Amino acid sequence: MPETATGAFDVVFRARRLIGPNGEMAGSVGVRDGRIAAVEPLDAQLDAVRTIELAGDEVLLPGLVDTHVHVNDPGRTEWEGFDTATRAAAAGGVTTILDMPLNSLPPTIDVGALEIKRKTARDKAHVDVGFWGGAVHGNRTKLRGLHEAGVFGFKCFLPHSGVDEFPPLSPTELDEALRELTGYDALMIVHAEDSEAIEHAPAAHGQAYGDFLNSRPRGAENLAIAQVIELARRIGARVHIVHLSSSDALPMIASARADGVRVTVETCPHYLSFSAEEIPDGATQFKCCPPIREARNRELLWQGLADGIIDCVVSDHSPCTPELKRFDIGDFGVAWGGVSSLQLGLPAVWTQARVRGHGLADVVRWMAHKPADLAGLRRKGAIAVGHDADFCVFAPDDAFVVDVRKLHHRNPVSPYHGRPLSGVVRETWLRGRRIVGADVESSGPRGELLIRQG
């Protein structure tokens, strides 16, 4: 990519294809002081210190926004960490992540824990990082302090979270927490599976994926989502359903929205990529909760995206050490549940989207615009004047085979290993600086710690 002459902008990008707020176009993007200062036609005369000419097979995308990442740092840094997680994010074209309030120690359930988290991340972040707070049994009086300290909202569990230090909310506690958060219009994001339904399901055990699937029935998910919707309707709360896996819930979500209930929903690349029928016995790298379901269910999730019922696609990157996946015995009942995929979200989704007739503008809406909107990140997720100059240079027709040894997250575990994917991230730019690609412009982390605005 050639670089030229001095002028009004720090950098100008020229791309035959870029995804702007109104879809795909040919254009030039002028950057000044880390922000987008101009979006003009391709042949516009924009003088700059440097001009970046994208190759003919490349598309300029806004940097992706992943609002569902478990960094686990501090406390379980052997599972992941801010250095490795944000390197993986950058390599995948993700320029902003929001860190979940568990599985770090301490969990982010009070202001003191948030400050520990920020101190841990401050000198390790290769992309911009914000934080969710946690709503757990016994911390309702701590929520306002976390809100005022700038968390982007609050995560709660209805079933057991998998770690004892992040206890779930009972139905009464969820009601009380939603009433508290509605007082300052904070967002509650919910792991929605009904704990009683799970308790009455067959216990997870052994190597057969079908047995594990039966232990987390879609009915548990559907029932919990119905309960959350009705509370949101009654209280007027803002709620967001995380990692939707059951397509059964889509009609009730659409109906609630039509009634004015403030509910949004996400799904994840693994629910859109894999199907229960293809998961081998003992392949615990595929274990996550709620689980990957059948192929028919996957296609209905894709339809939910096409219909606009599902708002966004985020990773739910939830890594652990290889030992915790129990590859030695392949037992789904005792293996840790979580999929490691932070670096692979864009090619994984694009691989599946393109064969279903979706374009890159759709993928950008699901993985950049909508997650930024969800979190209130007003300067992220779009190539638009005033936004941060965060970009992903993507080659949609290139391809590669996933090798976990080449991924940047800490432990070499992922269900995508050996899978061919379409689309290669060639460069990532953060506020006008190249952080991935040839001639990387910084020797250390350049990410900033974000707080909720307004």
Side-chain angles (χ1 to χ4, degrees):
M1 296 180 180
E3 303 180 354
T4 62
T6 56
F9 296 100
D10 301 324
V11 189
V12 166
F13 293 83
R14 297 192 184 277
R16 297 176 185 88
R17 299 176 65 192
L18 68 83
I19 307 299
N22 298 316
E24 186 170 320
M25 60 179 285
S28 298
V29 181
V31 174
R32 186 183 297 116
D33 297 328
R35 297 273 187 90
I36 298 171
V39 181
E40 300 290 343
L42 183 61
D43 59 357
Q45 298 301 307
L46 302 180
D47 293 330
V49 175
R50 294 181 300 162
T51 297
I52 306 298
E53 299 273 359
L54 267 67
D57 65 339
E58 295 174 340
V59 186
L60 188 67
L61 313 181
L64 304 186
V65 177
D66 192 336
T67 55
H68 196 147
V69 179
H70 293 268
V71 179
N72 309 331
D73 194 8
R76 290 190 174 97
T77 313
E78 71 275 15
W79 294 19
E80 190 59 280
F82 282 103
D83 178 60
T84 50
T86 57
R87 284 182 188 275
V94 177
T95 52
T96 304
I97 67 169
L98 295 193
D99 174 57
M100 283 290 160
L102 71 163
N103 303 303
S104 55
L105 292 169
T108 316
I109 57 176
D110 56 42
V111 171
L114 176 63
E115 289 307 311
I116 292 170
K117 183 72 70 81
R118 286 176 169 160
K119 182 178 180 181
T120 302
R122 186 164 290 120
D123 297 323
K124 300 177 183 177
H126 296 271
V127 300
D128 288 353
V129 178
F131 303 95
W132 296 107
V136 300
H137 170 74
N139 86 324
R140 183 166 60 87
T141 61
K142 308 288 187 181
L143 302 181
R144 181 179 283 274
L146 279 165
H147 176 77
E148 292 175 349
V151 297
F152 284 83
F154 296 87
K155 170 74 174 290
C156 74
F157 275 73
L158 305 187
H160 192 278
S161 70
V163 290
D164 291 338
E165 69 273 5
F166 200 92
L169 298 181
S170 70
T172 298
E173 290 171 323
L174 177 61
D175 184 306
E176 293 170 346
L178 287 175
R179 292 181 188 278
E180 167 73 21
L181 297 185
T182 302
Y184 30 94
D185 202 34
L187 177 66
M188 180 74 91
I189 67 174
V190 184
H191 181 126
E193 290 179 283
D194 184 76
S195 58
E196 187 173 348
I198 291 172
E199 287 172 9
H200 286 87
H205 66 283
Q207 296 187 349
Y209 184 76
D211 290 343
F212 169 63
L213 188 61
N214 290 335
S215 76
R216 309 293 288 222
R218 64 178 70 194
E221 202 173 350
N222 302 335
L223 178 57
I225 291 170
Q227 293 168 342
V228 171
I229 286 172
E230 288 312 304
L231 281 176
R233 185 194 308 274
R234 185 185 316 153
I235 296 168
R238 286 201 300 142
V239 296
H240 177 75
I241 306 300
V242 297
H243 48 49
L244 179 73
S245 81
S246 172
S247 62
D248 295 351
L250 293 171
M252 76 172 99
I253 294 166
S255 176
R257 282 203 188 137
D259 291 344
V261 179
R262 296 194 294 170
V263 56
T264 51
V265 62
E266 69 187 42
T267 193
C268 304
H270 41 280
Y271 300 128
L272 299 170
S273 297
F274 303 116
S275 66
E277 295 90 338
E278 67 181 339
I279 296 176
D281 288 351
T284 55
Q285 64 269 32
F286 289 90
K287 180 182 176 181
C288 56
C289 298
I292 295 163
R293 302 193 187 276
E294 301 85 356
R296 173 61 178 161
N297 181 84
R298 177 187 62 194
E299 297 313 307
L300 290 171
L301 291 177
W302 274 105
Q303 189 61 51
L305 276 169
D307 293 341
I309 303 171
I310 299 175
D311 298 274
C312 49
V313 181
V314 292
S315 70
D316 188 12
H317 178 69
S318 186
C320 66
T321 60
E323 293 76 18
L324 288 174
K325 278 296 187 181
R326 296 310 307 265
F327 295 124
D328 56 334
I329 57 174
D331 190 328
F332 282 96
V334 297
W336 175 259
V339 168
S340 298
S341 62
L342 180 55
Q343 187 172 335
L344 301 170
L346 175 56
V349 172
W350 173 237
T351 298
Q352 300 295 323
R354 68 188 306 181
V355 299
R356 292 170 173 83
H358 299 291
L360 280 172
D362 298 317
V363 174
V364 165
R365 182 172 68 255
W366 302 326
M367 303 187 76
H369 299 339
K370 288 290 189 175
D373 287 346
L374 171 74
L377 290 160
R378 294 190 289 269
R379 295 202 304 264
K380 299 293 188 182
I383 298 177
V385 172
H387 280 55
D388 288 347
D390 300 344
F391 305 113
C392 167
V393 177
F394 188 59
D397 296 323
D398 207 346
F400 68 105
V401 175
V402 178
D403 182 343
V404 291
R405 296 166 298 183
K406 297 180 180 178
L407 300 179
H408 290 276
H409 66 256
R410 184 176 298 278
N411 291 295
V413 176
S414 176
Y416 292 93
H417 178 63
R419 193 173 181 92
L421 296 179
S422 298
V424 172
V425 174
R426 290 186 178 164
E427 293 186 358
T428 305
W429 294 69
L430 180 68
R431 289 187 304 281
R433 290 178 177 268
R434 187 191 283 117
I435 60 171
V436 170
D439 303 319
V440 170
E441 298 172 38
S442 63
S443 57
R446 290 281 184 173
E448 295 183 358
L449 303 187
L450 306 175
I451 61 172
R452 189 196 73 262
Q453 299 298 309

